[in-house]
Amino acid sequence: MPVALSPRLSSEPPSHCDSIWRGATLVTMKDGHYNLIENGAIAVTGGKIVWAGSAADCPAFSDAKQHDFDGGIITPGFVDCHTHLVFGGDRSAEFEQRLNGVSYAEIAAAGGGILSTVNATRDATEDELLAQALFRLKPLLAEGVTCVEIKSGYGLSVESELKMLRVIRRLGVMLPVEVKSTCLAAHALPPEFKGRADEYIDLICDTLLPVVASENLADAVDAFCEHLAFSPEQVERVFTAAAALGLPVKLHAEQLSSLHGSALAARHHALSADHLEYATEDDAKAMAASGTVAVLLPGAYYLLRETQCPPVAHFRRHSVPMALASDANPGTSPALSLRLMLNMGCTLFRLTPEEALAGITSHGARALGLQETHGTLEAGKVADFIHWPLSRPAELVYWLGGQLPCTIVYRGEIRGEFRS
Ligand code: DI6
Ligand code: FE
């Protein structure tokens, strides 16, 4: 049976709270570990956890609304810290073509691949992009996501990148989910800049990012550091421009080859470096020194039939926090289930279930700079949590996706169901 490791998480219990939730084992995920509290209780006021611990120690809150569960577990709300959920069209036709024997090169020559998504995104209105993104975001919410990061990066022009970022901001207003917006204009070279990548970087640094910052359209800036995208030197220019505007950075790094983008990201104190299949031990050391989170993305690894796994042993050895995310995107990870990623993180990357769950809670929050407010069941954190009628946390990882019954609490209130 689980052992109560931390009987009480706050020393000064308040005298009043709005609601109390009890009767289940708390999977607090404090410090990235299960840190179970059997027969736990959570007290909530104003959408925040004000007390969490063993029900036996719970102060008497006489006027609080009582919610009693009959067993089961309570986890923090899930954080999907890396998605590209806003885009025009989809690439299911290409998926089918490839399985019918058409090569990537033939598809690209016919205008397919990432540029087909760019064209569809540029052609779509803001409302059309919003409707399509809602259709993709709701399944994530239904399985317990309470915080999601969404990137731009399929507009690749000032106008279309701003359009995507406005859609991302609108999603956060429309749905009961915390949405973090990331500007990924340096995702691919737009066709009209062919052979002039440095000029596209100029456009991002000198024109786009200042507007993004002044209109508060992004919480971070990302780039894709790869031979087929942007060089470390070009990424460094984007990072320098972001820093001058007060925007934190993150990076798609070492997905297909080793350019030491992750060490570059660490030098710029990036929140995270993501993918990382080709990261080295020195990259891991640099990330450890700067507190940069390693975001692992098993969906893209799986769909691309990669064989090189990210160096999980190096990340463990150097205590680099590992997050796990869906990378939901139309090309390499059409994944609409974060729970499926839990299983794939364990089966494909050999994470332990505890590491996988930390990856979508405490470490996922850290990858977004939200470690003070999200990701664990502790006093002072936002009251986002999920009750599951399950025996132990590993069960969340064990089932291959599928929607498990649960009660989702968002900012202290039960969140309704989501259907597309
Ligand atoms: N890495 C990926 O796997 C995706 N973007 C990136 O930087 C691919 C995006 C796409 O093919 O649409
Ligand atoms: Fe990505």
Side-chain angles (χ1 to χ4, degrees):
M1 288 305 279
V3 178
L5 296 177
S6 175
R8 188 190 288 173
L9 297 174
S10 89
S11 50
E12 283 291 319
S15 55
H16 165 83
C17 73
D18 297 341
S19 57
I20 299 184
W21 311 74
R22 62 175 127 219
T25 297
L26 306 187
V27 186
T28 68
M29 298 316 295
K30 186 171 149 27
D31 303 322
H33 294 286
Y34 287 150
N35 271 320
L36 300 177
I37 301 175
E38 257 188 284
N39 193 14
I42 299 174
V44 173
T45 289
K48 283 198 171 166
I49 298 175
V50 291
W51 191 91
S54 165
D57 298 335
C58 187
F61 296 108
S62 53
D63 49 350
K65 186 162 185 215
Q66 308 280 328
H67 299 266
D68 288 305
F69 295 114
D70 188 15
I73 59 174
I74 298 178
T75 65
F78 292 164
V79 179
D80 193 350
C81 69
H82 180 142
T83 85
H84 309 245
L85 278 169
V86 173
F87 55 85
D90 69 79
R91 307 231 290 275
S92 56
E94 281 176 25
F95 178 76
E96 187 162 19
Q97 277 180 309
R98 287 205 309 268
L99 290 165
N100 279 312
V102 186
S103 73
Y104 275 104
E106 287 166 322
I107 290 171
I114 194 164
L115 288 182
S116 72
T117 301
V118 172
N119 288 333
T121 304
R122 287 178 173 182
D123 286 347
T125 65
E126 208 175 297
D127 285 344
E128 286 165 350
L129 288 178
L130 185 79
Q132 292 177 35
L134 283 170
F135 168 81
R136 300 173 196 127
L137 184 50
K138 286 176 180 176
L140 287 174
L141 265 57
E143 65 174 20
V145 169
T146 52
C147 177
V148 63
E149 184 257 19
I150 309 178
K151 302 172 195 296
S152 68
Y154 290 113
L156 309 184
S157 67
V158 171
E159 181 198 358
S160 296
E161 285 292 303
L162 294 176
K163 176 173 70 175
M164 288 189 73
L165 293 168
R166 283 194 296 269
V167 171
I168 295 168
R169 284 290 190 233
R170 282 174 70 187
L171 288 165
V173 173
M174 286 178 72
L175 291 181
V177 60
E178 179 80 32
V179 174
K180 285 287 177 183
S181 168
T182 299
C183 180
L184 176 60
H187 188 197
L189 189 63
E192 60 276 17
F193 278 87
K194 194 162 187 244
R196 300 186 294 128
D198 282 318
E199 287 177 42
Y200 180 57
I201 297 293
D202 290 342
L203 180 76
I204 294 173
C205 297
D206 301 340
T207 308
L208 176 63
L209 289 182
V211 180
V212 168
S214 73
E215 297 189 13
N216 188 28
L217 284 173
D219 305 302
V221 172
D222 195 349
F224 187 17
C225 188
E226 197 58 64
H227 291 295
L228 54 78
F230 297 99
S231 68
E233 293 71 29
Q234 289 163 339
V235 168
E236 187 139 35
R237 289 178 56 210
V238 174
F239 281 1
T240 303
L245 294 163
L247 287 165
V249 297
K250 39 194 28 248
L251 189 64
H252 285 67
E254 271 72 72
Q255 181 184 7
L256 307 168
S257 63
S258 172
L259 297 182
H260 302 295
S262 41
L264 165 72
R267 282 202 299 284
H268 286 262
H269 306 287
L271 292 171
S272 69
D274 304 38
H275 285 288
L276 301 173
E277 277 80 347
Y278 290 84
T280 63
E281 183 156 13
D282 282 344
D283 295 331
K285 282 186 196 164
M287 290 171 66
S290 66
T292 299
V293 175
V295 178
L296 308 183
L297 304 167
Y301 171 93
Y302 163 81
L303 210 90
L304 294 172
R305 294 197 185 87
E306 288 280 347
T307 50
Q308 169 126 351
C309 279
V312 166
H314 294 330
F315 297 140
R316 281 190 191 124
R317 187 172 311 127
H318 299 288
S319 303
V320 177
M322 289 180 281
L324 196 60
S326 69
D327 196 15
N329 79 66
T332 59
S333 190
L336 299 181
S337 169
L338 195 54
R339 277 204 39 257
L340 180 57
M341 299 302 116
L342 284 179
N343 184 283
M344 288 169 65
C346 292
T347 307
L348 298 174
F349 295 165
R350 301 279 164 172
L351 297 181
T352 65
E354 187 178 48
E355 286 172 331
L357 197 59
I360 66 163
T361 55
S362 51
H363 295 163
R366 183 172 291 277
L368 299 176
L370 295 177
Q371 62 275 13
E372 301 301 326
T373 52
H374 290 71
T376 63
L377 302 177
E378 292 181 271
K381 296 276 176 103
V382 170
D384 293 350
F385 50 85
I386 318 169
H387 175 259
W388 309 89
L390 305 176
S391 54
R392 59 180 61 78
E395 209 180 333
L396 290 167
V397 183
Y398 156 81
W399 297 109
L400 267 168
Q403 207 172 306
L404 298 174
C406 59
T407 303
I408 300 166
V409 176
Y410 176 71
R411 294 186 186 171
E413 305 283 341
I414 292 180
R415 195 170 72 176
E417 288 190 23
F418 285 93
R419 296 278 170 259
S420 301

